[in-house]
Amino acid sequence: MKFIIDHFITVAIALLSGGALLWLSLAPRGRVASPLQATQMINRGKSTAVIDVRSADAFAAGHLRDAKHIPLADLGNRTGELDKSKVKTIVVVDQDGKHAGKAARLLKAAGFEDIYGLEGGIAAWTAAGLPLIK
């Protein structure tokens, strides 16, 4: 107890940073779809739109069939291009699944309802042996 009193600021910083890390790990990340689930959604036909939020170079190196390329940095300003897709299921694709949640939040704020992030991104897609279009 004496240690806590003598080092109150250090203990407080440790508790706050630990709490922040815990909150980030438990915070909702939105819905995700595994590569298999995403494949099933895409194969349903016209009811699914794929939005790739990676850089132009990464998109050119390989992307999912019929994916629309809108870099994450531009997504907030370009959601109008997707108005026809508001009634569709949206699958957001990034490199490793870490930025799909941010893209999903932007799309949700723009009025989109049914949004999934590709779990693990393109890395998981290729690891599952699924094809890319170049």
Side-chain angles (χ1 to χ4, degrees):
M1 190 63 148
K2 182 176 180 343
F3 177 83
I4 294 173
I5 294 170
D6 290 344
H7 300 91
F8 178 76
I9 293 175
T10 305
V11 171
I13 290 171
L15 288 174
L16 286 173
S17 64
L21 288 173
L22 181 63
W23 179 76
L24 286 174
S25 67
L26 297 177
R29 296 182 186 157
R31 297 186 297 176
V32 294
S34 70
L36 175 62
Q37 291 167 325
T39 301
Q40 291 169 342
M41 287 183 221
I42 293 166
N43 287 339
R44 277 191 283 179
K46 299 194 181 295
S47 63
T48 303
V50 178
I51 311 301
D52 194 319
V53 297
R54 298 176 299 145
S55 69
D57 292 339
F59 183 80
H63 56 274
L64 276 66
R65 179 186 54 142
D66 299 328
K68 178 152 181 76
H69 179 242
I70 302 178
L72 182 58
D74 300 337
L75 186 61
N77 299 327
R78 293 178 57 187
T79 56
E81 296 175 27
L82 305 171
D83 281 344
K84 292 180 183 177
S85 301
K86 281 195 177 182
V87 296
K88 295 182 178 184
T89 298
I90 305 288
V91 177
V92 178
V93 178
D94 64 355
Q95 185 60 40
D96 53 12
K98 294 181 182 173
H99 301 289
K102 181 177 180 181
R105 285 189 297 277
L106 288 169
L107 291 169
K108 190 81 161 168
F112 293 84
E113 297 288 328
D114 197 18
I115 309 161
Y116 291 84
L118 179 61
E119 185 176 31
I122 286 290
W125 183 270
T126 55
L130 297 167
L132 294 176
I133 305 298
K134 294 185 181 188

